[in-house]
Amino acid sequence: MATPPPGDERRRTNSTAPPSDGVEDERDVRVTMQFLRPDAPTQSVVEPTFGHRFERVVKIGGTGPGSLSAATFGDFFSAHEVTVLNGRTALGPEAAAGPGHGWDLEEHGFTFVARPGSSPGPSGSPGGFDFPPHAQQERGAADREFGPLVLDSVLRATGARRAFWLSHQRRTDETTPAGGMTNQQGPALGFCHTDYGPAFEQQLRTVLVRRFGVARAEATSCGIVLMNLWAPVCNPAFRHPLALLDGSTVDLSADAIPYILDPGLDTAYAYGTSSSRHPRPAAERVPQAAKDAPALSPCHRARHRWVFLPDMREDEAVLFKQYDFRREQQQQQQQGKQGKQGKQQGGGGGGGVAKARVRATFHVAFEDPFHDGDEEKPGRQSIECRVLLMFDEEEELAPGTSTGWQSAKL
């Protein structure tokens, strides 16, 4: 893992201890975030579309015994103050000047790239794409014109063999004419999360066959990764930027809690299941985030390192893993754990921690107070895009290697 010089501990972690010499970077932010409690109530949930049962998951929304409500909020969530580091400078001057400001997709779970279509490319390459204001957006135009630019960018950044466009969503801080804010406009969830988890693998492989026409033998043997590309549009993200949890500071087996959303909870992606607008069979439609199966949310840990890009520009984007299903990742993480245990016990390491790669990237929008009081700074407008990647055929799993979250049963 790339780290700053020795002694700069606060750049490595989000320790709750206050810095001894004040704020180290003027754009580092101390904020309060909501985290699922490790002892949050769990239940057995049957997903209504496919009938899959998931054990020991936290259910968000709905009614009935064990449900989240205003009265039980403290049983589910706890607030913690964390530092969100300036991702432009957090890894030091040399990394800051390099690609992605030093953040690596495999090592950290995310990287920063040029936003696709933010400027016309050279002759023979894809041209630019101009986003209209939120109220004038046309979903079809973004799918037809921006989608191919995203796929090209993600393929170049990841080395994947094929990429498939799943969906996109625009969000904004702007209010409705009545003064309210819908989930389609505002951030969908107010706590740290991924939108997908290991229990989505079977459904995604089915979608490759039924929606995109991939041969079944190829769809069941290839490596797959569900990726997000997030970017500001129309103006920089002065307000409510996106914070990302550095996956190299996360132990997914110990830090992640599976959660599922009630089917009636609006996250602005309901269009994907509307039979009038998208008359696809369930096996062909885009998997509904945290509804068709559990997604993951992190516990709070002092060792976690949160990162954001201050005033992220319209020509910048962040590419991050929703979930990496590749078996190679599972074997590498297994070897990494064995290596860590070997070192702790004085052994040779058996492959070492360095072989482990990040599987998921937790993220959440937060309030950056830097521009508070500056009424000339507009609210955030952004786009999020979900892409399914195919990699080369994988080898069989090593004996004893885990294939996913134990409580996620398909």
Side-chain angles (χ1 to χ4, degrees):
M1 176 176 116
T3 57
D8 197 2
E9 192 65 24
R10 189 163 168 265
R11 308 300 286 177
R12 294 194 186 95
T13 71
N14 275 311
S15 171
T16 55
S20 59
D21 56 351
V23 176
E24 297 182 14
D25 185 291
E26 69 170 357
R27 296 308 302 269
D28 289 357
V29 186
R30 293 289 285 177
V31 298
T32 299
M33 291 185 181
Q34 295 291 341
F35 294 85
L36 276 178
R37 296 171 56 97
D39 59 351
T42 62
Q43 54 185 283
S44 174
V45 176
V46 177
E47 184 278 323
T49 302
F50 302 99
H52 298 143
R53 178 180 293 275
F54 303 99
E55 306 291 346
R56 302 184 300 280
V57 297
V58 177
K59 185 178 180 183
I60 307 295
T63 59
S67 297
L68 173 65
S69 66
T72 62
F73 185 86
D75 296 334
F76 286 80
F77 290 95
S78 58
H80 297 272
E81 189 177 49
V82 301
T83 300
V84 188
L85 300 177
N86 179 355
R88 302 186 193 278
T89 63
L91 297 181
E94 184 177 349
H101 305 295
W103 301 101
D104 180 79
L105 190 60
E106 298 300 335
E107 184 177 358
H108 304 106
F110 62 90
T111 190
F112 298 101
V113 298
R115 196 197 81 195
S118 56
S119 61
S123 178
S125 67
F129 182 84
D130 294 324
F131 284 94
H134 187 84
Q136 284 80 51
Q137 67 172 301
E138 181 189 346
R139 295 197 59 86
D143 288 335
R144 292 189 308 271
E145 301 173 34
F146 186 60
L149 303 180
V150 172
L151 295 180
D152 179 72
S153 176
V154 174
L155 282 171
R156 285 187 282 108
T158 63
R161 184 155 51 86
R162 300 180 69 180
F164 301 93
W165 178 258
L166 292 180
S167 61
H168 82 276
Q169 188 58 272
R170 290 274 302 270
R171 300 193 188 277
T172 181
D173 286 344
E174 296 175 356
T175 58
T176 65
M181 180 181 287
T182 67
N183 271 338
Q184 182 172 355
Q185 293 177 301
L189 297 175
F191 62 95
C192 317
H193 65 283
T194 66
D195 298 288
Y196 293 86
F200 278 91
E201 181 174 0
Q202 177 179 314
Q203 187 181 2
L204 288 167
R205 292 188 185 278
T206 300
V207 165
L208 284 175
V209 176
R210 297 287 297 275
R211 184 184 182 97
F212 297 115
V214 176
R216 183 171 297 276
E218 184 180 14
T220 56
S221 63
C222 67
I224 60 173
V225 179
L226 189 54
M227 198 77 69
N228 253 47
L229 184 139
W230 186 97
V233 299
C234 300
N235 53 258
F238 296 117
R239 308 182 190 280
H240 295 105
L242 189 69
L244 303 125
L245 179 52
D246 175 3
S248 70
T249 67
V250 175
D251 179 351
L252 203 61
S253 64
D255 298 350
I257 301 173
Y259 77 94
I260 196 165
L261 300 178
D262 184 81
L265 190 65
D266 179 20
T267 58
Y269 280 94
Y271 69 86
T273 59
S274 170
S275 59
S276 61
R277 296 183 59 187
H278 295 262
R280 290 180 180 269
E284 297 180 13
R285 67 162 169 76
V286 174
Q288 294 297 287
K291 291 186 177 181
D292 289 343
L296 303 175
S297 184
C299 306
H300 172 261
R301 301 286 190 241
R303 59 179 151 75
H304 287 168
R305 175 166 61 178
W306 287 91
V307 176
F308 82 118
L309 280 197
D311 300 343
M312 192 172 178
R313 305 186 307 268
E314 305 100 301
D315 63 346
E316 297 177 309
V318 60
L319 183 65
F320 64 91
K321 294 181 181 182
Q322 282 282 3
Y323 202 82
D324 189 335
F325 300 89
R326 287 177 291 180
R327 294 170 181 171
E328 176 188 3
Q329 302 293 86
Q330 292 160 344
Q331 290 175 332
Q332 287 172 339
Q333 290 193 359
Q334 182 94 351
Q335 290 168 343
K337 288 180 184 178
Q338 291 171 350
K340 185 175 181 180
Q341 291 170 356
K343 289 181 179 180
Q344 290 173 343
Q345 297 168 3
V353 178
K355 288 191 175 182
R357 290 294 181 266
V358 171
R359 184 175 292 283
T361 303
F362 298 106
H363 56 280
V364 67
F366 72 99
E367 294 188 19
D368 179 5
F370 189 80
H371 295 294
D372 283 359
D374 186 350
E375 297 182 359
E376 294 185 359
K377 291 292 189 296
R380 191 195 88 188
Q381 297 189 58
S382 61
I383 186 168
E384 58 196 54
C385 310
R386 292 171 181 167
V387 175
L388 181 58
L389 301 180
M390 283 180 58
F391 291 82
D392 289 337
E393 182 176 349
E394 299 182 311
E395 298 179 358
E396 290 297 320
L397 282 173
T401 303
S402 171
T403 58
W405 192 265
Q406 292 181 350
S407 62
K409 301 182 185 298
L410 280 179

